[in-house]
Amino acid sequence: MEEEEEEEEVKESIENLWQEVRDLSLGTTPHIDHLPTPPTPLHFLRHYITPNKPCLISSAATRHWPALSLWPSATYLRSTLSTTPVSLHLTPTGKADSLTPHPTSPSSLCFASAHVQTLPFGEALDMVLNSREGETVAYLQQQNDCFRGEYGALKGDVEEHISWASEALGCLPEAVNLWVGNHFSETSFHKDHYENIYVVISGEKRFLLLPPTDVHRMYIRDYPAANYQYHQDSGEFTLELEDPIRYVPWCSVDPCPSPKVKQREIDKFPLYFNGPKPFEVTVKAGEMLYLPSMWFHHVTQSPDETGLTIAINYWYDMPFDIKYAYFQFLQSIPYPPSKDPMLRKARNVESNSDGYTSNSGEESDITAFEENQEVRNGKDRKDN
Amino acid sequence: MEEEEEEEEVKESIENLWQEVRDLSLGTTPHIDHLPTPPTPLHFLRHYITPNKPCLISSAATRHWPALSLWPSATYLRSTLSTTPVSLHLTPTGKADSLTPHPTSPSSLCFASAHVQTLPFGEALDMVLNSREGETVAYLQQQNDCFRGEYGALKGDVEEHISWASEALGCLPEAVNLWVGNHFSETSFHKDHYENIYVVISGEKRFLLLPPTDVHRMYIRDYPAANYQYHQDSGEFTLELEDPIRYVPWCSVDPCPSPKVKQREIDKFPLYFNGPKPFEVTVKAGEMLYLPSMWFHHVTQSPDETGLTIAINYWYDMPFDIKYAYFQFLQSIPYPPSKDPMLRKARNVESNSDGYTSNSGEESDITAFEENQEVRNGKDRKDN
C-alpha cells in the first residue's frame, strides 16, 4: 500500500512536469514560435537556447543563399558534384535507424540501420529519384559532417555557419550535414546531443517534437542492432543481426501507426498517446528550425516538383550544464514503475561513470559521430 | 524489499544529481568563477545565466560608483538622508527570518521575523552602530525595492541598473534593496525567485551557496511563523506566534552550528553535512556577486573600520522555464523517503495550481514582495 502511494506520487510528479514545462515556457498548443527575421544572438540565447525551446525562422534568413535557387535543379548538383563519391543509405522501406521486426523472431523488434554504399554522386542521385517503397529506398545522408567532406564542392552555396547561432553559442558548428531524399524516407523518434539548426532547401520537412522532460513517454528500451545488406545482383535486402549482439536504446513509439495497429500501439504506449500532444512544425524551403538539444524529434518529408527533399543542418556543441544534469536525473526515475527489466536496463544506459557520455560502445551509427564529439567535449570540459 | 530497492534507486539518483551538476558545470571545489572585468551581456548570459552558475566580478566593475567613496563615511549618509524615515529591523540576536526556539514550547522551533520600526535615518543608524548581541541588534534593510523608495536621495551614487545584466536578461531590475548592518546580522539559508546582482559597498559579505539541485540537503520543513515585538520602554523583546497560526517552509540547516550542538546537527541533517561542500565566496567592497535564481544562500558579514557593512542588490525577474519545471519536479520527489509527514507537507508547498507561484498566502515577510512580483510575472507570462 505504501509502495503504491510512493509510486502514485512519482507518477503525479512526472506528469506534472510534462504540463508545467508547457504552462511556463513552451506553450500549451502544438505550435512553436515563428520568427519573421533571424534573431539577434542575445535574443536567440535568451529566448530559445537558455529555455531549451524550439523556434522556426522565416525564409527571410536564407534569401541570399545561392543554394535556394541552384540546388532544386538536379542539373546543377550533377554538374558540380559529377562523379564525387558520396554515401548512400539504402533500405527496403525508407525507415533507417528505426525499429523493425526481428529477422529471426518476427514477434519482437530490432534496431535496423541502412546499408551504406559509396557511389559516384550521379548514380547515387538516380537511385534516390528511382526509389520505390517495398523495393529500394535510397537516401543521400551521412551524419559525419558530410557537407564539409563529401559535398565540399557545394560549400559556397550556403552560409558556412549560422552567424547569430555561432555568436550566441560561442562556437562554430561541429558538423554540417546534407540530406537529399524524398517522401519515402522517415526518421523515427530520437534525440541528439547537439543544438541543431535545420534548414530546408527544397521540399518540406514535418517535425513532431517532444521536450526532454517527456522522456518517459518515449518508452526508451534496448533493441538488438541489425543492419540491412543490399544485394546488388538480386536488388534485394537481407537484415542481419550484429554478431556479437549489441543493444541500442531507442524510442519505442511510432507516432503515426497504421489504422490496423493503432489501438494496439495506444495500449502499449499510453503515456505518449494519452499525454500532451507533440509540437508540430512544417519547415518549408528557405526556412530554418532551431531544434534544441535533447528534444525528441520524428521527421517526415515531402519533395518539391523535381522529386527531391533537400536539407542541410548545422550541429553545434550543446552546453552540458544543470539542464542536462536534471535530464539525467529525470531519466533515472523509474516510471512506469520499474517492474520491467528491459526498461530498467534502458533507463540506466545513459548514465555512466563519466556522467555525460551516452551509451558508449552501444550506440547506433546515427550517433557515432555525435558520441565521439561528446566524449571529446567532456574531456575538454574536464581540462578547463 | 522491492520498496526498499525503489527507495535506494531514488536515493542514488538524487545523490548522482548533486555530483553531476558539479562535474559538468559548477566545478568540484568550493570556489566560483572570478571575472576580472564585467562580462559582456552575451558572455554573462551564455556562461552564467543559462547554466544557472554564480560568479564574482572584481571591483573594476564599480570603480566609477560614487557610493564606494561616499557611503563609508556615515557623515555623508547622515547629511544626505537626514531625517528621512527608513525601515529598521530589530532582533535580540541579529538573526531575523530564521529559526529560533518556539516561544511556548522551546523544544521545537519557529520561524522568527524581526520587529520592523520606521525611524528617522539618523536615529536608525545610531541604533545599528550601537547594536549589542543578546540585547538589541538593528539592521537597516527592507526587501521591497527600498533603495528606490526610502533611500531615493542616494540614487545618483550607484548605477540605476547593471547594464550588462539588464541587457542579458532583457529587462530592468524589479527591485533594488539597500542593506546597512554589521557583523551581528546573519541571514539563514534560503532561496529567492530572482536573478540577483549583489554589490558590497563597505565591509565584506561571506556567502555559502548551494545549487537548487541540492534542495533535499536543506531539509525544508514547515515552521510556525512568529514575530519579535520590541518594547521601547524596557528595551526588551518578546516573540509572539502569529494568530491564526501560519506555517512557513524554511531550510532547517544551520551551516555553522556551535561546537556544543555540532554533532547533533550533523546527525539531524546528514545530507547537508556529509554531502558535497557548499560553494563559498567572500564579496569585498566594490565587488559584485551574481547569485543565480533558486540558489540557496547563507550570509554572514563583517564591517569596515567605521563599523558598518553596506551593500546594495539588484533583483531581476528570473526566467520561469524548463529549469524551474525540473526544480519543481526534483523537489516533489520524496527523499529522504516520505515517512515524515512534516517533510511531506513542506515538499508540496511550492507547487500550487498556478505552477509558478510559491507558498501563496503562507510566506514570510522576507519574500512578500518577491511573491507579489512573481504572481504578477506569472500573469504577464500568461497574457503573452
Side-chain angles (χ1 to χ4, degrees):
Chain A
M1 178 56 194
E2 209 169 296
E3 187 192 350
E4 271 166 38
E5 245 178 58
E6 202 109 325
E7 270 174 19
E8 195 50 43
E9 277 191 352
V10 169
K11 176 178 182 310
E12 208 182 296
S13 292
I14 291 178
E15 296 187 357
N16 282 345
L17 174 61
W18 304 339
Q19 196 51 49
E20 181 134 307
V21 72
R22 287 166 171 80
D23 288 343
L24 288 175
S25 172
L26 303 175
T28 52
T29 73
H31 308 301
I32 67 169
D33 284 3
H34 286 205
L35 309 187
T37 53
T40 63
L42 207 51
H43 187 90
F44 182 54
L45 186 50
R46 189 196 299 139
H47 294 285
Y48 299 101
I49 297 174
T50 299
N52 196 239
K53 183 175 171 177
C55 64
L56 181 72
I57 298 121
S58 88
S59 59
T62 57
R63 202 167 283 148
H64 59 292
W65 290 26
L68 271 276
S69 52
L70 295 174
W71 294 1
S73 141
T75 324
Y76 169 83
L77 291 179
R78 279 185 206 277
S79 71
T80 307
L81 292 164
S82 179
T83 56
T84 307
V86 293
S87 303
L88 187 69
H89 284 224
L90 296 169
T91 59
T93 57
K95 297 184 181 188
D97 298 314
S98 79
L99 303 180
T100 203
H102 191 285
T104 57
S105 117
S107 64
S108 69
L109 295 170
C110 68
F111 175 82
S113 297
H115 176 98
V116 184
Q117 193 165 356
T118 304
L119 282 177
F121 177 77
E123 281 179 47
L125 189 65
D126 287 338
M127 288 193 71
V128 173
L129 289 164
N130 296 327
S131 291
R132 274 205 259 169
E133 200 178 358
E135 293 182 15
T136 308
V137 175
Y139 197 3
L140 277 163
Q141 65 121 319
Q142 188 80 334
Q143 292 174 65
N144 62 354
D145 200 26
C146 72
F147 183 72
R148 299 193 287 202
E150 298 177 353
Y151 298 96
L154 302 175
K155 182 170 101 150
D157 300 342
V158 298
E159 294 280 7
E160 273 187 66
H161 65 112
I162 308 299
S163 60
W164 41 269
S166 304
E167 209 183 325
L169 289 157
C171 58
L172 290 170
E174 271 300 313
V176 184
N177 300 310
L178 185 72
W179 313 70
V180 181
N182 51 43
H183 71 281
F184 297 120
S185 289
E186 183 180 323
T187 306
S188 65
F189 262 126
H190 70 287
K191 68 176 170 10
D192 299 310
H193 293 71
Y194 282 104
E195 302 292 352
N196 198 346
I197 304 283
Y198 207 107
V199 189
V200 172
I201 303 292
S202 147
E204 288 185 0
K205 297 232 178 195
R206 179 167 169 267
F207 289 79
L208 294 178
L209 302 169
L210 273 192
T213 48
D214 293 30
V215 58
H216 295 93
R217 301 179 59 203
M218 293 279 88
Y219 297 83
I220 296 172
R221 310 281 164 109
D222 280 354
Y223 295 96
N227 296 289
Y228 283 114
Q229 298 295 336
Y230 179 64
H231 305 277
Q232 205 137 6
D233 42 354
S234 63
E236 290 191 348
F237 287 89
T238 52
L239 180 58
E240 287 163 28
L241 280 182
E242 290 189 16
D243 182 17
I245 200 160
R246 177 176 73 98
Y247 284 93
V248 175
W250 205 254
C251 300
S252 301
V253 175
D254 174 1
C256 315
S258 68
K260 211 176 65 182
V261 300
K262 189 165 181 181
Q263 192 55 52
R264 196 189 65 194
E265 295 290 297
I266 293 174
D267 295 342
K268 272 167 75 183
F269 309 118
L271 300 183
Y272 177 81
F273 288 99
N274 303 331
K277 290 221 181 317
F279 294 87
E280 277 187 43
V281 60
T282 298
V283 187
K284 296 184 183 138
E287 293 178 336
M288 289 183 180
L289 172 67
Y290 165 55
L291 174 53
S293 55
M294 308 298 285
W295 274 63
F296 297 96
H297 49 290
H298 176 274
V299 196
T300 50
Q301 49 190 25
S302 54
D304 71 356
E305 62 278 7
T306 69
L308 295 178
T309 312
I310 308 179
I312 185 166
N313 85 287
Y314 297 77
W315 261 344
Y316 286 87
D317 278 349
M318 68 172 273
F320 286 85
D321 61 20
I322 195 170
K323 283 197 290 278
Y324 186 73
Y326 273 131
F327 171 81
Q328 291 275 76
F329 167 70
L330 171 64
Q331 182 165 253
S332 74
I333 297 294
Y335 178 59
S338 57
K339 270 125 210 168
D340 179 342
M342 277 294 276
L343 177 62
R344 188 185 286 262
K345 189 171 175 198
R347 269 194 300 117
N348 292 326
V349 167
E350 201 161 63
S351 311
N352 65 14
S353 59
D354 285 327
Y356 40 73
T357 64
S358 82
N359 316 319
S360 294
E362 49 170 348
E363 186 51 283
S364 67
D365 290 338
I366 202 172
T367 52
F369 175 78
E370 155 186 344
E371 206 197 326
N372 290 335
Q373 292 307 115
E374 215 176 301
V375 171
R376 200 185 55 67
N377 295 340
K379 287 225 180 78
D380 287 350
R381 208 164 301 109
K382 266 190 181 165
D383 295 339
N384 280 348
Chain B
M1 176 57 192
E2 210 169 295
E3 188 193 348
E4 271 167 37
E5 245 178 59
E6 203 109 324
E7 271 175 17
E8 194 50 44
E9 276 189 353
V10 168
K11 175 178 182 311
E12 206 182 298
S13 292
I14 291 179
E15 296 188 357
N16 282 345
L17 174 60
W18 304 339
Q19 195 53 47
E20 181 135 305
V21 73
R22 287 166 172 81
D23 288 344
L24 288 174
S25 172
L26 303 175
T28 52
T29 72
H31 308 301
I32 66 169
D33 284 3
H34 286 205
L35 310 186
T37 53
T40 63
L42 207 51
H43 187 89
F44 182 55
L45 186 50
R46 187 197 300 141
H47 294 285
Y48 299 101
I49 296 173
T50 298
N52 196 239
K53 183 175 172 177
C55 63
L56 181 72
I57 297 122
S58 87
S59 59
T62 57
R63 201 166 286 149
H64 60 292
W65 290 25
L68 277 249
S69 52
L70 294 175
W71 294 1
S73 142
T75 324
Y76 170 82
L77 292 179
R78 279 186 206 276
S79 70
T80 307
L81 293 164
S82 180
T83 55
T84 307
V86 293
S87 303
L88 187 68
H89 284 224
L90 296 170
T91 59
T93 57
K95 297 184 182 188
D97 297 313
S98 79
L99 303 180
T100 201
H102 191 286
T104 58
S105 117
S107 64
S108 69
L109 295 170
C110 68
F111 175 81
S113 296
H115 176 97
V116 184
Q117 193 165 354
T118 304
L119 282 178
F121 177 76
E123 280 178 49
L125 189 65
D126 286 338
M127 289 193 72
V128 173
L129 289 165
N130 296 326
S131 291
R132 272 204 260 167
E133 200 177 359
E135 293 182 16
T136 308
V137 176
Y139 197 2
L140 278 163
Q141 66 122 318
Q142 188 79 338
Q143 293 174 65
N144 62 352
D145 201 24
C146 71
F147 183 72
R148 299 191 288 201
E150 299 178 353
Y151 298 95
L154 302 176
K155 182 170 101 152
D157 301 341
V158 299
E159 294 280 7
E160 273 187 65
H161 64 112
I162 308 298
S163 59
W164 41 268
S166 304
E167 209 182 325
L169 289 157
C171 58
L172 290 170
E174 271 300 314
V176 183
N177 301 310
L178 185 71
W179 313 70
V180 181
N182 51 42
H183 70 281
F184 296 120
S185 290
E186 184 180 321
T187 307
S188 65
F189 262 125
H190 70 287
K191 67 176 169 18
D192 299 309
H193 293 71
Y194 282 105
E195 302 291 354
N196 197 347
I197 304 282
Y198 207 107
V199 189
V200 172
I201 304 294
S202 147
E204 290 184 0
K205 298 232 179 195
R206 179 167 170 267
F207 290 78
L208 294 179
L209 303 168
L210 273 191
T213 48
D214 292 32
V215 58
H216 295 93
R217 301 180 59 204
M218 293 278 90
Y219 296 85
I220 296 172
R221 310 280 165 105
D222 281 354
Y223 294 96
N227 296 289
Y228 284 114
Q229 299 294 336
Y230 178 63
H231 305 278
Q232 206 138 4
D233 42 355
S234 63
E236 289 190 350
F237 287 89
T238 52
L239 181 58
E240 287 163 28
L241 281 182
E242 290 188 17
D243 181 17
I245 200 158
R246 177 176 73 98
Y247 285 93
V248 176
W250 204 253
C251 301
S252 301
V253 175
D254 174 0
C256 315
S258 68
K260 211 176 67 184
V261 300
K262 190 164 182 181
Q263 192 54 51
R264 197 189 66 196
E265 295 291 297
I266 293 174
D267 295 343
K268 271 165 76 183
F269 309 118
L271 301 183
Y272 177 80
F273 287 100
N274 303 330
K277 289 223 178 318
F279 294 87
E280 277 187 45
V281 60
T282 298
V283 187
K284 296 184 182 139
E287 294 178 336
M288 291 182 178
L289 172 67
Y290 165 54
L291 174 53
S293 55
M294 308 298 285
W295 275 62
F296 297 96
H297 50 291
H298 175 275
V299 196
T300 51
Q301 48 190 27
S302 53
D304 70 357
E305 62 280 5
T306 69
L308 294 177
T309 312
I310 308 179
I312 184 167
N313 84 288
Y314 298 77
W315 261 343
Y316 286 86
D317 279 349
M318 68 172 273
F320 285 85
D321 60 21
I322 195 171
K323 282 197 291 277
Y324 186 72
Y326 273 132
F327 171 80
Q328 292 275 74
F329 167 69
L330 172 63
Q331 183 167 251
S332 74
I333 297 295
Y335 178 58
S338 58
K339 269 124 212 169
D340 178 343
M342 279 293 278
L343 178 62
R344 190 184 285 262
K345 189 170 176 200
R347 270 196 296 116
N348 294 325
V349 168
E350 200 160 66
S351 312
N352 66 13
S353 59
D354 286 325
Y356 40 73
T357 65
S358 80
N359 315 322
S360 295
E362 47 169 350
E363 185 52 281
S364 67
D365 290 338
I366 202 171
T367 52
F369 175 80
E370 155 185 347
E371 205 195 326
N372 290 337
Q373 291 307 115
E374 217 176 299
V375 170
R376 200 185 55 68
N377 295 338
K379 287 224 181 80
D380 287 349
R381 206 165 302 111
K382 266 188 178 162
D383 296 338
N384 279 346

